[in-house]
Amino acid sequence: MALTGKVVLVSGASRGIGLAIARRLAASGAQVALVARSAEALQEEAAKLRGAIAIAADLRDAASCAAAVEETVARLGRLDIFVHSAGATQRGDFLALGDEAWEDGYALKLFGAVRLLRAAWPHLVASRAMRC
Ligand SMILES: NC(=O)c1ccc[n+]([C@@H]2O[C@H](COP(=O)([O-])OP(=O)(O)OC[C@H]3O[C@@H](n4cnc5c(N)ncnc54)[C@H](OP(=O)(O)O)[C@@H]3O)[C@@H](O)[C@H]2O)c1
């Protein structure tokens, strides 16, 4: 894949699968916005990837999702690809896990994805239009 000139937002990019995806995309030429909560880890990883930026955000929060997309576009000029890898699943006995644990998981994995994509959508559409 040649991704030179493309901008990608990767959530959950401070470690694990998200970080591996961010590294691979950067190696293919993309500029990557690494998003997660751990500011220090993000800065450290972004410094290793050419053109990458770090955005610390708790993606369970609606306003933070929109802000992460806005900051990506403000600093990198566009947004072409969105990857949602942020996740944190509380594990435990089914009968012991309360609603809060379930709500927390959905706030990040489901609503985080929906809110980020909603904010990213106009930029992704604009990117497609430019390609055509
Ligand atoms: N690993 C597997 O075998 C596997 C298999 C199937 C599905 N999955 C799913 O794939 C996703 C990634 O898995 P992984 O193994 O890469 O997990 P991981 O190593 O625990 O990484 C999770 C990432 O999500 C970020 N994150 C967690 N809570 C967040 C929040 N509130 N706001 C923003 N970012 C947050 C973490 O960064 P911070 O802590 O810095 O915020 C981290 O960057 C998860 O949804 C997981 O359930 C994983």
Side-chain angles (χ1 to χ4, degrees):
M1 279 196 296
L3 294 176
T4 305
K6 300 294 183 193
V7 172
V8 188
L9 185 159
V10 181
S11 77
S14 62
R15 61 174 185 271
I17 297 169
L19 177 57
I21 291 171
R23 285 175 176 159
R24 186 67 188 88
L25 292 170
S28 298
Q31 274 189 288
V32 185
L34 296 95
V35 184
R37 291 168 301 178
S38 309
E40 206 172 310
L42 291 173
Q43 291 287 358
E44 201 173 300
E45 296 301 333
K48 298 177 198 163
L49 306 177
R50 198 165 60 87
I53 61 169
I55 300 175
D58 187 333
L59 298 174
R60 292 170 297 184
D61 174 59
S64 298
C65 291
V69 171
E70 280 169 28
E71 186 175 342
T72 300
V73 175
R75 293 173 63 187
L76 299 181
R78 55 190 288 153
L79 179 57
D80 304 283
I81 300 169
F82 161 59
V83 177
H84 188 57
S85 187
T89 307
Q90 288 188 47
R91 295 168 198 278
D93 185 279
F94 176 71
L95 297 178
L97 282 177
D99 285 355
E100 275 178 24
W102 287 91
E103 285 164 4
D104 197 60
Y106 277 104
L108 177 60
K109 284 188 168 185
L110 177 62
F111 287 106
V114 168
R115 290 163 175 159
L116 282 168
L117 187 55
R118 190 191 289 136
W121 194 262
H123 304 288
L124 302 177
V125 169
S127 162
R128 247 183 105 75
M130 279 190 280
R131 201 176 61 203
C132 295

